[in-house]
Amino acid sequence: MKILRVQTSPRGENSESRKLGDHLIAKAKRIDPTSTTILRDVSTGVALPDLTWIGASFTDADKRDANQVRALAGSEQMIAELEATDLLVIEAPLWNFSIPASLKAWFDQVVRARRTFRMSETGSEGLLKDRKTIVIVTTGGVPLGSGYDFATPYIRHILGFIGITGVTFIDAGRLMFENKLDKARVEINTTLAGPLARAA
């Protein structure tokens, strides 16, 4: 079992989303000792698409010049990490009712026309194979699924757009008012048990 863990909070050991992610990885290792984890910490910064990136993205791979190849190198690496994984884990604290800018930047690098999706007259088609995905969502006061939660609908939609539909959200919301961390850990354990036990 290969796990891709996308971290977004810059708060380090003080981050509740990271603590829950640590619990998930430790639990996964206990279920399947052979599991491996790729860590992608986007809190340290992800390059934003610029004009060269955009031009390279719409240029056939065999016709790109050296600058275009360099412009897409980071995107290609992040997409390769995603393609290689069996389980995708995204730690997503809710900031200003939506996702952190660093996570949006990661999505902008991996959601790429002709690479992870394509458009036709009949609509869009995701080009990645589906895989189990667990999204850990932490909030201070916003309830998940409420009219103020713009993060979870966006994450579900953008992942589905590239072909990933098997998404489970772990609710660690309203931590200013409720201690949902123990419940979230139980949800993580239950969610992991199926796919990891079968893989092991």
Side-chain angles (χ1 to χ4, degrees), residues 106-159:
W106 180 78
F107 279 125
D108 287 343
Q109 290 289 346
V110 300
V111 179
R112 222 175 81 204
R114 306 194 306 167
R115 185 65 175 82
T116 57
F117 75 92
R118 61 186 167 206
M119 302 295 296
S120 69
E121 292 182 357
T122 58
S124 62
E125 177 187 0
L127 300 179
L128 297 184
K129 69 179 180 68
D130 197 11
R131 69 213 63 221
K132 182 64 180 175
T133 298
I134 299 174
V135 182
I136 300 169
V137 185
T138 54
T139 81
V142 176
L144 264 65
S146 70
Y148 301 101
D149 169 19
F150 299 104
T152 56
Y154 172 77
I155 292 172
R156 187 181 297 280
H157 179 82
I158 199 71
L159 288 173

XYZ file of all heavy atoms in Angstrom, residues 106-159:
431
model
N -1.638 23.343 -4.872
C -1.361 21.932 -5.198
C -2.379 21.416 -6.211
O -2.012 20.763 -7.198
C -1.395 21.086 -3.925
C -1.112 19.624 -4.156
C 0.111 19.040 -4.354
C -2.074 18.569 -4.229
N -0.033 17.675 -4.526
C -1.366 17.357 -4.463
C -3.465 18.521 -4.113
C -2.002 16.121 -4.579
C -4.105 17.285 -4.229
C -3.378 16.105 -4.467
N -3.651 21.721 -5.980
C -4.676 21.310 -6.944
C -4.392 21.910 -8.321
O -4.557 21.240 -9.355
C -6.069 21.722 -6.469
C -6.684 20.791 -5.463
C -7.127 21.265 -4.244
C -6.827 19.443 -5.739
C -7.701 20.415 -3.309
C -7.387 18.571 -4.819
C -7.840 19.063 -3.594
N -3.968 23.175 -8.357
C -3.696 23.814 -9.650
C -2.542 23.134 -10.387
O -2.482 23.182 -11.624
C -3.375 25.296 -9.447
C -4.605 26.109 -9.102
O -5.721 25.621 -9.339
O -4.452 27.229 -8.584
N -1.634 22.506 -9.646
C -0.522 21.798 -10.273
C -0.908 20.393 -10.745
O -0.353 19.891 -11.726
C 0.658 21.700 -9.304
C 1.354 23.022 -9.025
C 2.157 23.527 -10.206
O 2.423 22.804 -11.172
N 2.573 24.783 -10.163
N -1.842 19.747 -10.068
C -2.176 18.355 -10.439
C -3.431 18.253 -11.299
O -3.653 17.218 -11.951
C -2.324 17.450 -9.186
C -1.030 17.425 -8.386
C -3.500 17.865 -8.316
N -4.256 19.288 -11.309
C -5.438 19.288 -12.181
C -5.040 20.000 -13.464
O -5.057 21.232 -13.548
C -6.631 19.978 -11.490
C -7.856 19.985 -12.413
C -6.960 19.274 -10.173
N -4.636 19.206 -14.461
C -4.022 19.779 -15.661
C -4.655 19.212 -16.922
O -4.777 17.986 -17.078
C -2.513 19.472 -15.665
C -1.670 20.633 -16.104
C -0.203 20.316 -15.983
N 0.275 19.542 -17.109
C 1.352 18.751 -17.082
N 2.052 18.634 -15.982
N 1.719 18.101 -18.154
N -5.077 20.106 -17.794
C -5.711 19.693 -19.046
C -4.789 18.790 -19.843
O -3.580 19.009 -19.921
C -6.077 20.937 -19.873
N -5.390 17.726 -20.396
C -4.713 16.747 -21.255
C -3.760 15.835 -20.466
O -3.156 14.940 -21.054
C -3.946 17.408 -22.400
C -4.802 18.357 -23.235
C -4.137 18.728 -24.531
N -2.796 19.267 -24.339
C -1.915 19.430 -25.322
N -2.238 19.070 -26.563
N -0.724 19.952 -25.075
N -3.639 16.071 -19.169
C -2.765 15.247 -18.330
C -3.559 14.484 -17.276
O -3.408 13.269 -17.142
C -1.710 16.136 -17.657
C -0.660 15.372 -16.848
C 0.209 14.492 -17.711
N 1.277 13.881 -16.922
C 1.138 12.785 -16.180
N -0.043 12.176 -16.163
N 2.142 12.302 -15.503
N -4.426 15.178 -16.547
C -5.268 14.500 -15.565
C -6.755 14.663 -15.871
O -7.591 14.068 -15.194
C -4.981 15.009 -14.136
O -5.170 16.423 -14.085
C -3.553 14.665 -13.715
N -7.090 15.460 -16.877
C -8.470 15.524 -17.367
C -8.446 15.984 -18.814
O -7.453 16.529 -19.301
C -9.326 16.479 -16.527
C -9.061 17.939 -16.788
C -9.794 18.647 -17.739
C -8.083 18.624 -16.076
C -9.544 19.986 -17.979
C -7.826 19.968 -16.313
C -8.554 20.644 -17.264
N -9.536 15.716 -19.507
C -9.673 16.230 -20.868
C -11.123 16.662 -21.083
O -12.048 16.149 -20.454
C -9.264 15.195 -21.904
C -10.070 13.918 -21.920
C -9.459 12.919 -22.893
N -10.006 11.576 -22.717
C -9.353 10.458 -23.039
N -8.130 10.533 -23.558
N -9.918 9.275 -22.857
N -11.273 17.616 -21.981
C -12.588 18.152 -22.300
C -12.988 17.732 -23.707
O -12.144 17.600 -24.594
C -12.585 19.682 -22.209
C -12.177 20.242 -20.853
S -13.333 19.819 -19.529
C -14.814 20.683 -20.079
N -14.277 17.525 -23.882
C -14.823 17.221 -25.204
C -16.166 17.922 -25.330
O -16.630 18.584 -24.394
C -14.991 15.709 -25.386
O -16.027 15.225 -24.540
N -16.798 17.759 -26.471
C -18.095 18.400 -26.680
C -19.140 17.870 -25.709
O -20.130 18.550 -25.414
C -18.560 18.177 -28.124
C -17.720 18.909 -29.167
C -18.243 18.694 -30.558
O -19.228 17.932 -30.704
O -17.692 19.302 -31.498
N -18.924 16.670 -25.208
C -19.904 16.066 -24.294
C -19.592 16.326 -22.830
O -20.343 15.920 -21.949
C -19.976 14.545 -24.527
O -18.680 13.967 -24.341
C -20.467 14.236 -25.926
N -18.466 16.997 -22.555
C -18.141 17.311 -21.172
C -16.706 16.955 -20.822
O -15.850 16.811 -21.698
N -16.459 16.782 -19.535
C -15.105 16.497 -19.069
C -14.951 15.021 -18.715
O -15.922 14.321 -18.435
C -14.781 17.335 -17.834
O -15.665 17.003 -16.763
N -13.690 14.568 -18.725
C -13.376 13.180 -18.355
C -12.101 13.180 -17.510
O -11.064 13.696 -17.925
C -13.151 12.327 -19.598
C -12.751 10.893 -19.268
C -12.351 10.093 -20.498
O -12.387 10.665 -21.622
O -11.983 8.917 -20.337
N -12.194 12.620 -16.309
C -11.019 12.475 -15.471
C -10.128 11.376 -15.998
O -10.616 10.314 -16.397
N -8.824 11.590 -15.985
C -7.887 10.637 -16.564
C -7.134 9.821 -15.516
O -6.342 8.943 -15.879
C -6.882 11.368 -17.460
C -7.493 12.144 -18.634
C -6.398 12.840 -19.438
C -8.311 11.219 -19.530
N -7.360 10.086 -14.230
C -6.723 9.288 -13.192
C -7.651 8.165 -12.753
O -8.874 8.340 -12.723
C -6.373 10.158 -11.981
C -5.370 11.282 -12.198
C -5.076 11.972 -10.870
C -4.082 10.768 -12.818
N -7.067 7.049 -12.383
C -7.893 5.961 -11.847
C -8.343 6.339 -10.438
O -7.653 7.061 -9.718
C -7.142 4.634 -11.836
C -5.987 4.539 -10.855
C -5.339 3.156 -10.917
C -4.180 3.024 -9.936
N -4.610 3.049 -8.522
N -9.521 5.859 -10.091
C -10.041 6.155 -8.765
C -9.183 5.477 -7.707
O -8.557 4.446 -7.952
C -11.490 5.669 -8.659
C -12.231 6.288 -7.488
O -11.696 7.244 -6.892
O -13.345 5.819 -7.187
N -9.112 6.075 -6.537
C -8.389 5.488 -5.418
C -9.027 5.989 -4.128
O -9.654 7.039 -4.107
C -6.909 5.864 -5.448
C -6.621 7.323 -5.159
C -5.419 7.802 -5.930
N -5.648 7.727 -7.353
C -4.723 7.312 -8.253
N -3.520 6.974 -7.852
N -5.005 7.280 -9.537
N -8.877 5.197 -3.075
C -9.436 5.603 -1.795
C -8.774 6.898 -1.355
O -7.548 7.033 -1.395
C -9.205 4.513 -0.744
C -9.812 4.838 0.616
C -11.325 4.922 0.544
C -11.945 5.252 1.894
N -13.398 5.448 1.801
N -9.608 7.852 -0.927
C -9.108 9.145 -0.494
C -9.746 9.519 0.836
O -10.962 9.404 0.996
C -9.418 10.231 -1.549
O -8.760 9.902 -2.768
C -8.952 11.598 -1.084
N -8.911 9.946 1.768
C -9.389 10.400 3.067
C -8.974 11.859 3.233
O -7.792 12.185 3.127
C -8.810 9.549 4.214
C -9.237 8.083 4.056
C -9.257 10.092 5.570
C -8.595 7.148 5.073
N -9.961 12.710 3.471
C -9.701 14.132 3.665
C -10.026 14.480 5.120
O -11.172 14.326 5.556
C -10.538 15.004 2.719
C -10.194 16.482 2.908
C -10.321 14.585 1.264
N -9.012 14.900 5.855
C -9.187 15.291 7.258
C -9.444 16.790 7.287
O -8.580 17.589 6.913
C -7.939 14.945 8.078
C -7.670 13.435 8.037
C -8.085 15.431 9.515
C -6.308 13.046 8.607
N -10.649 17.175 7.720
C -11.028 18.584 7.713
C -11.165 19.076 9.155
O -11.958 18.545 9.933
C -12.347 18.822 6.965
C -12.649 20.321 6.880
C -12.285 18.225 5.563
N -10.382 20.084 9.511
C -10.466 20.697 10.828
C -10.971 22.123 10.685
O -10.591 22.836 9.749
C -9.091 20.706 11.534
O -8.124 21.334 10.678
C -8.623 19.300 11.850
N -11.829 22.526 11.610
C -12.320 23.907 11.616
C -12.384 24.405 13.056
O -12.486 23.621 14.003
C -13.733 24.029 10.995
O -14.730 23.669 11.963
C -13.889 23.158 9.761
N -12.348 25.724 13.190
C -12.480 26.318 14.505
C -13.935 26.401 14.932
O -14.297 26.005 16.039
N -14.786 26.933 14.040
C -16.182 27.114 14.414
C -17.191 26.736 13.353
O -18.390 26.665 13.621
N -16.756 26.498 12.131
C -17.685 26.219 11.026
C -18.055 24.737 11.002
O -17.171 23.878 10.940
C -17.057 26.621 9.674
C -17.985 26.247 8.526
C -16.758 28.112 9.649
N -19.339 24.399 11.024
C -19.728 22.991 10.901
C -19.538 22.503 9.463
O -19.871 23.221 8.514
C -21.222 22.999 11.268
C -21.500 24.351 11.853
C -20.492 25.276 11.257
N -19.004 21.300 9.313
C -18.866 20.729 7.976
C -20.244 20.496 7.370
O -21.178 20.064 8.049
C -18.094 19.409 8.028
C -16.591 19.510 7.744
C -15.912 20.321 8.823
C -15.968 18.126 7.658
N -20.369 20.795 6.088
C -21.639 20.609 5.414
C -22.601 21.769 5.573
O -23.697 21.746 5.007
N -22.194 22.787 6.318
C -23.061 23.951 6.493
C -22.926 24.887 5.292
O -22.085 24.693 4.417
C -22.678 24.699 7.772
O -21.415 25.342 7.615
N -23.750 25.912 5.274
C -23.691 26.879 4.188
C -22.421 27.693 4.173
O -22.138 28.383 3.187
N -21.644 27.618 5.276
C -20.385 28.364 5.359
C -19.171 27.503 5.011
O -18.051 27.990 5.044
C -20.204 28.936 6.768
C -21.319 29.856 7.186
C -22.326 29.413 8.036
C -21.366 31.165 6.720
C -23.352 30.263 8.426
C -22.391 32.015 7.103
C -23.389 31.564 7.951
O -24.397 32.396 8.321
N -19.407 26.243 4.733
C -18.321 25.314 4.395
C -18.198 25.228 2.879
O -18.951 24.508 2.226
C -18.610 23.931 4.998
C -17.684 22.844 4.479
O -16.600 23.172 3.950
O -18.051 21.655 4.607
N -17.256 25.985 2.341
C -17.018 25.946 0.895
C -15.869 25.007 0.543
O -15.551 24.837 -0.635
C -16.715 27.354 0.368
C -17.833 28.324 0.591
C -17.755 29.281 1.590
C -18.978 28.265 -0.188
C -18.793 30.175 1.819
C -20.030 29.154 0.028
C -19.933 30.121 1.034
N -15.253 24.406 1.558
C -14.083 23.555 1.323
C -14.462 22.155 0.863
O -13.957 21.672 -0.150
C -13.228 23.480 2.591
N -15.327 21.490 1.628
C -15.604 20.086 1.297
C -16.299 19.913 -0.060
O -15.945 18.995 -0.803
C -16.392 19.390 2.427
O -17.603 20.105 2.692
C -15.568 19.334 3.697
N -17.257 20.776 -0.442
C -17.822 20.611 -1.793
C -16.775 20.813 -2.885
O -16.775 20.099 -3.898
C -18.919 21.675 -1.861
C -19.238 22.005 -0.446
C -17.960 21.834 0.312
N -15.883 21.796 -2.685
C -14.847 22.044 -3.684
C -13.904 20.854 -3.802
O -13.579 20.412 -4.920
C -14.053 23.303 -3.331
C -12.846 23.504 -4.220
C -12.989 23.995 -5.513
C -11.568 23.170 -3.785
C -11.894 24.152 -6.351
C -10.463 23.328 -4.606
C -10.627 23.818 -5.886
O -9.533 23.954 -6.705
N -13.445 20.331 -2.670
C -12.509 19.205 -2.705
C -13.158 18.005 -3.386
O -12.532 17.339 -4.225
C -12.045 18.843 -1.283
C -11.180 19.970 -0.702
C -11.254 17.531 -1.286
C -10.836 19.793 0.766
N -14.400 17.703 -3.025
C -15.081 16.565 -3.662
C -15.203 16.770 -5.165
O -14.975 15.845 -5.954
C -16.462 16.360 -3.033
C -17.167 15.099 -3.528
C -18.543 14.936 -2.918
N -18.507 14.763 -1.476
C -18.227 13.615 -0.870
N -17.930 12.546 -1.584
N -18.231 13.544 0.446
N -15.558 17.991 -5.567
C -15.750 18.264 -6.996
C -14.439 18.193 -7.769
O -14.373 17.561 -8.827
C -16.391 19.636 -7.195
C -16.586 19.990 -8.630
N -17.664 19.548 -9.376
C -15.821 20.727 -9.483
C -17.553 19.989 -10.612
N -16.454 20.714 -10.716
N -13.390 18.839 -7.258
C -12.142 18.910 -8.013
C -11.478 17.543 -8.115
O -10.873 17.207 -9.143
C -11.182 19.966 -7.403
C -10.106 20.379 -8.412
C -10.554 19.484 -6.112
C -10.601 21.209 -9.557
N -11.596 16.712 -7.062
C -11.055 15.351 -7.145
C -11.862 14.521 -8.138
O -11.296 13.770 -8.944
C -11.054 14.691 -5.771
C -10.016 15.222 -4.770
C -10.240 14.601 -3.393
C -8.589 14.949 -5.243
